[in-house]
């Protein structure tokens, strides 16, 4: 594979046998392979055990599992979207195809516009702007499509101030890139590759982090058709549509179904329906200090965030990191006990029981040793004194006997003892 991979375009799943997410992806990956083969795609689909072939995985920069990459010549493109069959297949077809797709006719333009919610188009001949456009496309082709067309192919409602030009078509209209107002072309395309209003989930928030925008979300229950849920969603949609010129450089708008993900993100329990503004770059968030009743209230709330008068919560400071560790640990324990109480008791009860027994044994051993050691030492010393010297009475008796003996008797006794020796 390493020697011949450049002969073909490969879509590869780098996995680990023990990875739960990899096992969950496996049936989806099989469907991707079948779909690509049935549609006659030139892309070959495969998977590689990154733990067995760690050198190849390291060569392609694999850091986690599963990692999906499309290998095209010397380039390797990372897939970062939802792990569904349709999304992966679209990614493979987009990246495997031409970097810049030409639109030769109005009919083709209309067909492409119906298929894609967001598309970028370069209009004009050879120019430094086109070179920059191609360069940006090679980097961001993993996210969106790039096209080129002549001016007469564009719809009649499009007016261009000058040529060459780069346009984005989305939200039922179009916007022209202006270098003086929009800055770098790469940054502009990265900001504009999303629709003005989105259904937000975890993957979307992760991608929005690259845009540097604040994300204003109506957290609602899609299954709840009450007035309050519908009203907050409509307010966000209206602001995204009618105030684009004011906020599109700094804000992305959308709604999120349910509060489970947002609660884990904010480490707080938000009552839905509600509105929250997230700063994905530093994990700060903003909550309105009063109910959002209409569009004007929402616009005022956004302006307070922009001018710095709205109170920011959360962040990535030391205290927040400690809080995150505690929150994640607590969530893990609760989820384990909810899914399997017996397993939770075994995983957490057994180590605690062993540690408790060890602590009890250590404490008990210290207490007994502290009482017995002095007594044993005292007894040993006493026995030694009695053995070596005898009691005081015995010593006095012995001394008395030696005193009563005469000098001659002492000499005689010494002679007898020598003879005995």
């Amino acid at each position: 594979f390493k020697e011949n991979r450049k002969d073909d375009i490969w879509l590869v799943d780098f996995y680990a046998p023990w990875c739960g997410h990899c096992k969950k992806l496996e049936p989806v990956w099989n469907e991707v392979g079948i779909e690509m083969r049935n549609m006659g795609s030139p892309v070959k689909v495969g998977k590689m055990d990154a733990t067995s072939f760690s050198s190849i995985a390291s060569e392609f920069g694999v850091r986690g599992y599963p990692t999906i990459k499309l290998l095209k010549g010397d380039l390797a493109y990372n897939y970062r979207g939802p792990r569904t069959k349709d999304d992966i297949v679209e990614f493979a077809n987009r990246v495997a195809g031409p970097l810049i797709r030409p639109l030769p006719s109005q009919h083709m333009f209309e067909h492409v516009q119906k298929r894609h919610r967001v598309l970028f188009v370069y209009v004009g001949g050879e120019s430094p702007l086109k070179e920059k456009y191609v360069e940006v496309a090679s980097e961001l082709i993993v996210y969106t499509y790039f096209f080129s067309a002549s001016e007469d192919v564009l719809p009649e409602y499009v007016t261009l101030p000058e040529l060459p030009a780069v346009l984005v078509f989305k939200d039922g209209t179009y916007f022209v890139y202006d270098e003086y107002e929009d800055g770098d072309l790469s940054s502009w395309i990265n900001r504009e590759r999303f629709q003005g209003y989105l259904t937000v989930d975890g993957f979307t928030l992760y991608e929005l982090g690259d845009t540097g925008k604040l994300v204003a979300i109506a957290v609602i229950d899609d299954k709840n058709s009450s007035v309050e849920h519908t009203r907050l969603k409509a307010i966000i949609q209206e602001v995204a549509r009618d105030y684009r010129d004011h906020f599109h450089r700094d804000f992305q708008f959308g709604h999120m179904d349910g509060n489970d993900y947002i609660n884990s993100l904010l480490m707080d329990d938000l009552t839905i329906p509600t509105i929250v503004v997230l700063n994905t770059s530093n994990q700060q968030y903003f909550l309105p200090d009063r109910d959002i009743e209409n569009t004007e209230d929402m616009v005022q709330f956004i302006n307070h965030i922009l001018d710095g008068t709205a109170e920011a919560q959360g962040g990535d400071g030391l205290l927040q990191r400690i809080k995150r560790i505690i929150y994640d640990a607590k969530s893990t324990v609760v989820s384990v006990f909810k899914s399997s109480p017996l397993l939770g008791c075994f995983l957490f009860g057994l180590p605690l029981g062993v540690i408790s027994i060890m602590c009890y044994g250590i404490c008990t051993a210290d207490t007994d040793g502290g009482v017995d050691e002095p007594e044993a030492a005292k007894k040993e010393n006493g026995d030694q004194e009695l053995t070596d010297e005898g009691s005081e009475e015995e010593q006095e008796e012995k001394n008395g006997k030696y005193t009563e003996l005469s000098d001659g008797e002492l000499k005689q006794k010494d002679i007898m003892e020598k003879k005995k020796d």
Side-chain angles (χ1 to χ4, degrees), residues 209-330:
D210 295 335
T211 66
K213 290 184 178 183
L214 299 173
V215 187
I217 305 173
V219 186
I220 62 173
D221 183 357
D222 277 338
K223 297 178 182 178
N224 192 325
S225 58
S226 66
V227 175
E228 187 66 13
H229 288 254
T230 306
R231 183 177 60 82
L232 287 183
K233 183 178 178 180
I235 288 174
I236 295 290
Q237 288 176 325
E238 188 175 341
V239 172
R241 181 185 66 249
D242 298 342
Y243 291 84
R244 171 188 158 80
D245 292 340
H246 297 84
F247 301 135
H248 81 278
R249 287 184 176 86
D250 301 304
F251 278 84
Q252 175 66 50
F253 299 92
H255 81 273
M256 178 176 286
D257 181 21
N259 61 349
D260 291 340
Y261 183 83
I262 203 73
N263 284 347
S264 64
L265 193 66
L266 306 185
M267 295 180 289
D268 197 0
D269 292 327
L270 293 183
T271 303
I272 59 175
T274 188
I275 288 176
V276 60
V277 175
L278 303 174
N279 187 338
T280 55
S281 63
N282 61 8
Q283 299 180 16
Q284 286 185 342
Y285 63 95
F286 302 85
L287 296 173
D289 54 3
R290 57 190 178 89
D291 292 339
I292 303 295
E293 299 292 343
N294 48 47
T295 305
E296 288 72 23
D297 289 342
M298 186 66 200
V299 171
Q300 186 179 16
F301 176 45
I302 291 175
N303 285 327
H304 287 168
I305 294 174
L306 291 175
D307 63 25
T309 57
E311 181 184 359
Q313 303 182 47
D316 54 1
L318 179 60
L319 292 178
Q320 285 298 121
R321 293 178 184 178
I322 295 174
K323 184 179 177 181
R324 169 61 64 184
I325 294 173
I326 296 173
Y327 181 86
D328 290 342
K330 180 182 175 182

Side-chain angles (χ1 to χ4, degrees), residues 39-267:
M39 67 194 311
S41 172
V43 178
K44 292 188 175 181
V45 181
K47 61 181 181 178
M48 178 177 290
D49 183 352
T51 61
S52 298
F53 303 97
S54 57
S55 61
I56 296 181
S58 178
E59 179 183 340
F60 290 117
V62 175
R63 297 288 182 269
Y65 310 112
T67 293
I68 298 173
K69 288 179 176 284
L70 188 133
L71 310 178
K72 183 180 179 182
D74 294 324
L75 301 175
Y77 296 92
N78 285 335
Y79 176 70
R80 296 169 57 183
R83 295 182 184 130
T84 65
K85 184 197 74 172
D86 293 339
D87 288 307
I88 295 174
V89 168
E90 184 188 5
F91 162 80
N93 290 331
R94 181 172 66 248
V95 179
L99 194 62
I100 309 295
R101 291 170 164 83
L103 298 175
S105 64
Q106 287 187 352
H107 176 73
M108 179 62 71
F109 184 92
E110 293 172 1
H111 172 71
V112 168
Q113 196 171 18
K114 290 177 182 178
R115 288 190 58 191
H116 305 295
R117 297 175 179 175
V118 179
L119 65 144
F120 293 90
V121 182
Y122 172 83
V123 182
E126 297 297 325
S127 67
L129 180 61
K130 184 176 182 179
E131 294 178 3
K132 182 64 176 178
Y133 183 73
V134 173
E135 179 184 340
V136 174
S138 65
E139 176 188 355
L140 300 180
I141 188 67
V142 293
Y143 300 119
T144 189
Y145 288 89
F146 295 88
F147 298 90
S148 63
S150 59
E151 189 174 9
D152 58 351
V153 169
L154 300 179
E156 295 181 357
Y157 61 81
V158 176
T159 57
L160 298 176
E162 61 180 358
L163 290 178
V166 177
L167 302 84
V168 58
F169 290 85
K170 65 176 185 178
D171 301 330
T173 184
Y174 72 97
F175 305 96
V176 182
Y177 166 68
D178 187 328
E179 183 178 0
Y180 298 101
E181 291 187 3
D182 300 318
D184 181 63
L185 178 62
S186 178
S187 300
W188 179 77
I189 291 178
N190 198 37
R191 290 196 307 267
E192 296 293 341
R193 63 187 175 91
F194 296 97
Q195 292 177 278
Y197 182 89
L198 296 170
T199 300
V200 180
D201 56 15
F203 281 108
T204 309
L205 276 179
Y206 181 72
E207 290 189 10
L208 286 172
D210 295 335
T211 66
K213 290 184 178 183
L214 299 173
V215 187
I217 305 173
V219 186
I220 62 173
D221 183 357
D222 277 338
K223 297 178 182 178
N224 192 325
S225 58
S226 66
V227 175
E228 187 66 13
H229 288 254
T230 306
R231 183 177 60 82
L232 287 183
K233 183 178 178 180
I235 288 174
I236 295 290
Q237 288 176 325
E238 188 175 341
V239 172
R241 181 185 66 249
D242 298 342
Y243 291 84
R244 171 188 158 80
D245 292 340
H246 297 84
F247 301 135
H248 81 278
R249 287 184 176 86
D250 301 304
F251 278 84
Q252 175 66 50
F253 299 92
H255 81 273
M256 178 176 286
D257 181 21
N259 61 349
D260 291 340
Y261 183 83
I262 203 73
N263 284 347
S264 64
L265 193 66
L266 306 185
M267 295 180 289

